[in-house]
Amino acid sequence: MKKYRIVAICMFMLLILAVGAYGQRKVVKILAIGNSFSQDAVEQYLHELAEAEGISTIIGNMYIGGCSLERHVKNARDNASAYAYRKIGTDGKKREKSKMSLETVLADEDWDYVSLQQASPFSGMYETYEASLPELIEYVKVRLPKKTKLMLHQTWAYASTSKHSGFKNYNRDQLTMYQAIVDAVKKAAKANKVKIIIPSGTAIQNARTSFIGDHLNRDGYHLDVKVGRYTAACTWFERIFKHNVVGNPYGPEGLDEARKTVAQKAAHAAVKHPYKVTDLCSVPCRRVEAP
């Protein structure tokens, strides 16, 4: 009888410890200081991908459409309440506050990861990073815990048919723009000792080699709301959490299995090889026109 009592007590203690550990599960807090391209990347699907693997997140995006590094720096200097702060809580619900400043949002959570990015027309022009990124990094770092990891978001090249005026900076050539972005972000990360690059641009370029082709944008530059955005979210997920995204059970409603697989494989290959395109048609495949 005494033996059974000891076993029962041990099991009860283990149950208490398990419940306590669950209740104290770490919440990973991610903040993007960006524009509509960070909106495309983190405001949908990233939370769900993490949740599918038991990871609890808080995800924030500081949004101004088309916001450049130069403008972020000006907002920092002026303590300007110029941002829409979109925040996805642990419950997966998005809430927005308008007229928010960088200083206020940096203090809003004990952020684990904070990303910075350049506006898309200048994303492949290293001199624009050189002019503004060091000051922005310095501003952010002194307002964050030492544990916080800074990241640079490597954004994507426009669709080859894009009418965006900034495309002229790259001779209206998609691969020229892609390579310029890769080179500029890599150089900026090294110069500013930023150790994490989120290679969304490479993931999108990888996906373009698949049967989907150059059909990952909804307007020539923003991402398609299903496969394009999902590809970017998969990239953020794998790079931050170091979990292979291939096989993650979550997929957006309406995204077919073939495109889900392409997105996951494109993201995984980008995290493994962030500075070069992986041809997803290197094995026999059929290239078709996506709708």
Side-chain angles (χ1 to χ4, degrees):
M1 182 65 70
K2 183 176 179 182
K3 178 181 177 182
Y4 292 123
R5 188 180 300 117
I6 291 170
V7 171
I9 291 170
C10 289
M11 290 180 68
F12 180 70
M13 293 299 293
L14 286 171
L15 180 62
I16 290 174
L17 288 171
V19 170
Y22 180 80
Q24 296 173 15
R25 185 174 66 172
K26 177 177 171 58
V27 178
V28 181
K29 301 178 181 181
I30 303 162
L31 176 66
I33 298 173
N35 48 46
S36 59
F37 277 38
S38 56
Q39 175 189 15
D40 275 351
V42 306
E43 287 191 22
Q44 49 288 304
Y45 312 145
L46 179 56
H47 168 86
E48 290 82 357
L49 284 162
E51 186 176 54
E53 294 205 13
I55 302 169
S56 186
T57 59
I58 291 174
I59 300 166
N61 183 36
M62 296 204 71
Y63 171 84
I64 298 174
C67 195
S68 65
L69 290 171
E70 181 181 17
R71 186 172 176 188
H72 286 308
V73 168
K74 186 177 187 307
N75 289 340
R77 289 174 181 169
D78 298 341
N79 198 26
S81 299
Y83 295 86
Y85 175 36
R86 284 94 174 264
K87 185 177 183 182
I88 300 145
T90 55
D91 59 1
K93 293 181 179 179
K94 188 192 304 185
R95 299 167 178 87
E96 180 173 329
K97 292 182 180 179
S98 59
K99 298 181 180 179
M100 298 292 284
S101 68
L102 283 170
E103 185 172 52
T104 300
V105 175
L106 289 170
D108 183 53
E109 293 285 353
D110 189 19
W111 300 107
D112 295 294
Y113 297 91
V114 173
S115 78
L116 307 171
Q117 67 185 57
Q118 181 55 290
S120 65
F122 315 115
S123 55
M125 303 169 69
Y126 174 68
E127 63 273 18
T128 67
Y129 295 83
E130 198 173 28
S132 300
L133 187 59
E135 184 175 345
L136 184 60
I137 286 175
E138 186 60 31
Y139 178 90
V140 168
K141 282 177 69 175
V142 299
R143 289 164 175 80
L144 290 171
K146 288 186 178 180
K147 65 156 190 171
T148 307
K149 296 180 180 178
L150 289 182
M151 311 184 294
L152 284 184
H153 185 201
Q154 178 212 82
T155 55
W156 48 90
Y158 299 156
S160 58
T161 56
S162 179
K163 304 300 182 185
H164 195 295
S165 61
F167 207 14
K168 68 180 184 295
N169 294 335
Y170 311 96
N171 299 317
R172 298 198 171 276
D173 182 82
Q174 183 182 93
L175 288 178
T176 298
M177 185 175 185
Y178 164 71
Q179 195 59 56
I181 293 169
V182 166
D183 292 344
V185 174
K186 184 179 180 181
K187 190 174 179 180
K190 183 177 180 180
N192 292 279
K193 299 180 180 179
V194 178
K195 295 182 179 179
I196 301 176
I197 291 174
I198 307 288
S200 298
T202 295
I204 294 299
Q205 209 62 40
N206 290 346
R208 285 169 171 156
T209 71
S210 75
F211 73 88
I212 297 171
D214 197 9
H215 298 277
L216 284 104
N217 303 92
R218 64 185 187 270
D219 54 9
Y221 48 103
H222 292 112
L223 294 180
D224 167 83
V225 297
K226 293 290 185 183
V227 66
R229 284 180 166 182
Y230 183 66
T231 302
C234 285
T235 310
W236 279 68
F237 170 82
E238 180 159 332
R239 184 63 186 88
I240 290 172
F241 298 112
K242 298 180 175 63
H243 289 210
N244 188 339
V245 75
V246 177
N248 187 293
Y250 173 74
E253 184 178 352
L255 184 66
D256 63 78
E257 195 63 30
R259 285 168 173 77
K260 176 186 172 185
T261 299
V262 166
Q264 291 185 352
K265 288 185 175 181
H268 177 65
V271 173
K272 285 184 69 177
H273 307 290
Y275 309 123
K276 67 177 184 179
V277 178
T278 299
D279 186 355
L280 298 185
C281 274
S282 58
V283 295
C285 71
R286 182 170 60 92
R287 187 180 284 275
V288 298
E289 288 298 304

